[in-house]
Every structure is written in C-alpha cells, then in structure tokens.
Amino acid sequence: MRFCVFGFLSLFLIVSPVSAWFFPNSSAIPPSLRNTTHVFWDAFSNFTGCHHGQNVDGLFRIKKYFQRFGYIPETYTGNFTDDFDDILKNAVELYQKNFRLNVTGELDALTIKHIVVPRCGNPDVVNGTSLMHNGRRKTFEVNFSPGGKVPRLHTVKHYTLFPGEPRWPRDRRDLTYAFDPRNPLTDEVKGVFARAFGRWSEVTALNFTNIESFTTSDITIGFYTGDHGDGEPFDGVLGTLAHAFSPPSGKFHLDADENWVVSGDLDSFLSVTAAVDLESVAVHEIGHLLGLGHSSVEESIMYPTITTGKRKVDLTSDDVEGIQYLYGANPNFNGTSPPAATTRERDTGSFGAAARIDGSSSLSLFLSTVGLFLWILP
C-alpha cells in the first residue's frame, strides 16, 4: 500500500521598510530640513588655501574623500596623516584637471567649492585611470577641391566609458527594472524613474519595462541608508546622493536620507539648500547602469556633481553620442537632443504633502507554502 503524508508549513518574514523623504516640491520641505548641510564636507572649507608642505589638523579627512573617488588608490593602506604630502598634492592636481580647474596642486577656494558640492558616489578614477579627461578622438577627412589636399579635422568626444567598455549584451535590448519591496513607493515616485529611463530610450536602441519581481529584473533600484552591504556606504544628507554599477550588474542605490523632490519644481528650489531633484539624479545614474562613466563637461548629464536646487535632465550631444556608441541609435531619433519630458507639478504649499516611507513600521511578507512529501512504500 502506498500513501502520502503532506506537511504544510507557513512562513512569515518581517522586513523593515527603509525610510526616505519625498516631496512634491521644495516648498513642502519643513523649515527644519531646508538648510541641512553635510557636516564633514562642509568643514572642508576650513582647508581653503592649504598647500604642499603644511600640516593642518583634520587634513586626513580630505585624503579619505579623494580615496573614495579614486584619486588616491585603494591599494594605499597606510594611515592618512594631516600632512599635505605628495600623495595629497597629486590627488588635488588630478581632481583639478578632471574638473577643468586651474591646476595648482593647492586647495584654493575654487577647488574647495567644487569638492563640497553633492555628487554621485561612483569614482572618477578607476585603477589609477581617470574616467573624466580621456576624450575619444575622431578624425574626419574633407576634400575642399578636386585634386587638392585632404584636410584632416579632429574632434574630441568627452564622454567616457568604464574600463573594458562593459555594456548589456546584444540579445538584451529590452531591459526590466524593479524597486526594492522594502521601499513602498508611490506611483508618482515610480513615474520619475520611468521618465528618466525614457530619456535614454528616446535616443538609443534600448527599451525599459517596470516589473514587480525584484529578484529577476535586470535592474534593481532601492533607497538605503548608511552601510547597506555593497561596500559603498551612504553618508547622510547631501554628500554622496546615489551610485550605480556598470553593466551587467544593474544595481542602482539612492541615499534615503536626502530630501528628494519629485515634481521638478525649480521656482522655490533656490532658497532650499538641502533639496535634491530626483529625476536629475536618476538620469545620471542610469547612464552608469548602461556603461557611461563621468564626463568633464559640466553641462553633461554624466558630470559627477549637481548643486542643490538644480534640475538637469536633458541629455547633451556628448551623452547621446556616448550611449549610441554603446548601443546604436533609436531608429526614430531625429538627431537632436530630446526635449524635456513633461512632469506633473503639484504645489500644495503645505508640509503635510510630503510622502515618507516610514521605517518605524514593519512589512509582513507571506511566503509560499512549503510542501513536504514522504512517500512510504510497502
């Protein structure tokens, strides 16, 4: 006689959502949050005027900043001192070159002004090679007269790629993306990402679709705080805003401590130092997800920094040429930079309009039934 014993196990998993602030516009940000600054980066202004040979209390912190973004190699394992030594001087000079500043090797006022601006968490220098000033040279030949000499015209493309030029495979032109289920985002917030992906698909042969499955999607998006397990911890309000990994990783992480504005409302932005436009950051990080590195062209989407209160979502010609080098052009692209996408603005003027993912509650996920079969043979 054969019979079956079926065991039924029900399993519950408690997952705490990650807290994040979203505001329809900057006027909805409470006064207590409006003028928040990044404590450590803001303190860098104390080093204005420092130069080689000096010893200044706390200078080791700016060395850690430069190491985080690749200007000092990760292989350097010694303890940083407060000496303005050759290591720091070389880092400052490369930083100034990348950002098209006057190369002095000193922490002059303009250099410090750039350093304290909020930025992408991806490095500017990888394995000792700058991703920002290695322009791609293209040569064109033009014959102005029959039998005459053929002038050679040179142009430099400033877009950059990750080392090895990683990209999504040719058989994966329809990419999916999903949001971390611990971030119960509103449709309005998800719409910001849809617009950001759309700006890239308008100009290249890629399509993006939002799906529910976080574990099977090509691209995963989440808001996190502090050390979130990828070796690139976030640092609170301002500082590093987000980071994304090169293909085919698909990981896209944003700092949940920022005051994210979802409407693109710039009119009241200017007086709010801690407001960050979500779509501007999303468009930039998607560029990394697709294989683009940082650009030294300030107008480019792929420029590493963005000042608070600024909205920058339109691809420049350099951004377009870079992404089309990797994936080809969208057949419907007319050869000009795509127009800005229309965004819905909602000016409530009230603090209660902010949407918060509350980390004080918990999310219960019911996992599927686990069946246990025991077959007993006579």
Side-chain angles (χ1 to χ4, degrees):
M1 177 180 181
R2 174 183 296 178
F3 64 93
C4 171
V5 177
F6 177 78
F8 182 84
L9 300 178
S10 296
L11 183 61
F12 290 87
L13 177 65
I14 305 300
V15 180
S16 296
V18 179
S19 298
W21 280 109
F22 300 99
F23 300 90
N25 49 59
S26 55
S27 64
I29 300 177
S32 61
L33 299 178
R34 292 186 181 185
N35 295 312
T36 306
T37 60
H38 191 279
V39 177
F40 289 114
W41 288 18
D42 195 51
F44 289 163
S45 60
N46 297 328
F47 303 131
T48 303
C50 290
H51 55 80
H52 187 264
Q54 287 186 307
N55 180 284
V56 181
D57 185 40
L59 199 60
F60 75 93
R61 291 192 178 91
I62 209 164
K63 292 181 181 179
K64 289 185 175 181
Y65 170 96
F66 281 125
Q67 186 175 50
R68 174 163 190 175
F69 299 110
Y71 293 92
I72 296 177
E74 292 183 359
T75 53
Y76 180 84
T77 57
N79 293 325
F80 288 129
T81 67
D82 290 332
D83 294 323
F84 201 126
D85 49 22
D86 290 340
I87 293 175
L88 180 55
K89 183 175 183 292
N90 292 336
V92 172
E93 288 177 345
L94 181 54
Y95 182 90
Q96 291 169 332
K97 183 177 181 181
N98 276 348
F99 284 84
R100 298 184 172 186
L101 305 175
N102 187 25
V103 180
T104 64
E106 300 179 2
L107 291 172
D108 52 64
L110 189 56
T111 301
I112 291 293
K113 181 180 178 180
H114 275 77
I115 287 175
V116 299
V117 175
R119 58 162 294 154
C120 169
N122 286 45
D124 306 327
V125 183
V126 177
N127 297 328
T129 300
S130 173
L131 300 183
M132 292 182 63
H133 64 259
N134 292 332
R136 305 177 65 85
R137 182 177 294 275
K138 296 182 70 174
T139 301
F140 301 89
E141 294 187 353
V142 181
N143 193 343
F144 289 109
S145 61
K149 291 184 177 181
V150 180
R152 298 174 66 84
L153 304 180
H154 300 277
T155 62
V156 175
K157 308 302 180 184
H158 294 284
Y159 67 82
T160 64
L161 310 173
F162 287 99
E165 300 187 1
R167 67 195 75 188
W168 292 92
R170 289 183 178 275
D171 60 351
R172 295 174 71 181
R173 291 297 183 260
D174 295 311
L175 300 175
T176 58
Y177 67 94
F179 299 97
D180 192 322
R182 291 173 295 178
N183 300 150
L185 306 179
T186 65
D187 289 341
E188 187 175 15
V189 173
K190 291 180 180 179
V192 173
F193 289 93
R195 291 195 299 271
F197 278 110
R199 293 181 183 277
W200 292 103
S201 63
E202 282 185 71
V203 303
T204 195
L206 293 172
N207 296 304
F208 304 95
T209 303
N210 180 207
I211 64 174
E212 292 297 324
S213 177
F214 188 72
T215 58
T216 62
S217 63
D218 298 308
I219 296 169
T220 55
I221 304 171
F223 289 82
Y224 308 102
T225 59
D227 186 352
H228 50 284
D230 65 357
E232 301 291 340
F234 286 125
D235 51 9
V237 179
L238 302 182
T240 54
L241 305 174
H243 53 243
F245 296 81
S246 61
S249 168
K251 295 180 180 178
F252 177 5
H253 301 162
L254 301 98
D255 191 345
D257 285 332
E258 309 299 343
N259 297 316
W260 296 107
V261 176
V262 300
S263 71
D265 176 10
L266 287 176
D267 293 338
S268 54
F269 251 23
L270 300 180
S271 61
V272 183
T273 60
V276 181
D277 182 62
L278 179 58
E279 187 176 350
S280 298
V281 174
V283 176
H284 175 96
E285 298 302 334
I286 292 170
H288 288 319
L289 289 172
L290 301 180
L292 293 179
H294 283 153
S295 171
S296 61
V297 179
E298 189 170 1
E299 295 76 18
S300 169
I301 284 293
M302 298 313 298
Y303 194 68
T305 66
I306 184 168
T307 56
T308 54
K310 183 175 183 179
R311 178 171 170 81
K312 186 167 71 170
V313 295
D314 295 324
L315 305 185
T316 65
S317 59
D318 220 51
D319 299 313
V320 173
E321 289 171 359
I323 203 65
Q324 290 182 347
Y325 171 84
L326 290 172
Y327 302 103
N330 183 330
N332 298 318
F333 179 56
N334 61 12
T336 61
S337 296
T342 302
T343 59
R344 180 168 61 91
E345 297 185 6
R346 182 179 63 197
D347 188 357
T348 63
S350 65
F351 301 147
R356 180 172 177 79
I357 299 175
D358 190 356
S360 62
S361 62
S362 62
L363 177 65
S364 297
L365 298 179
F366 178 77
L367 300 185
S368 59
T369 303
V370 179
L372 176 62
F373 292 88
L374 298 177
W375 292 95
I376 302 178
L377 299 177

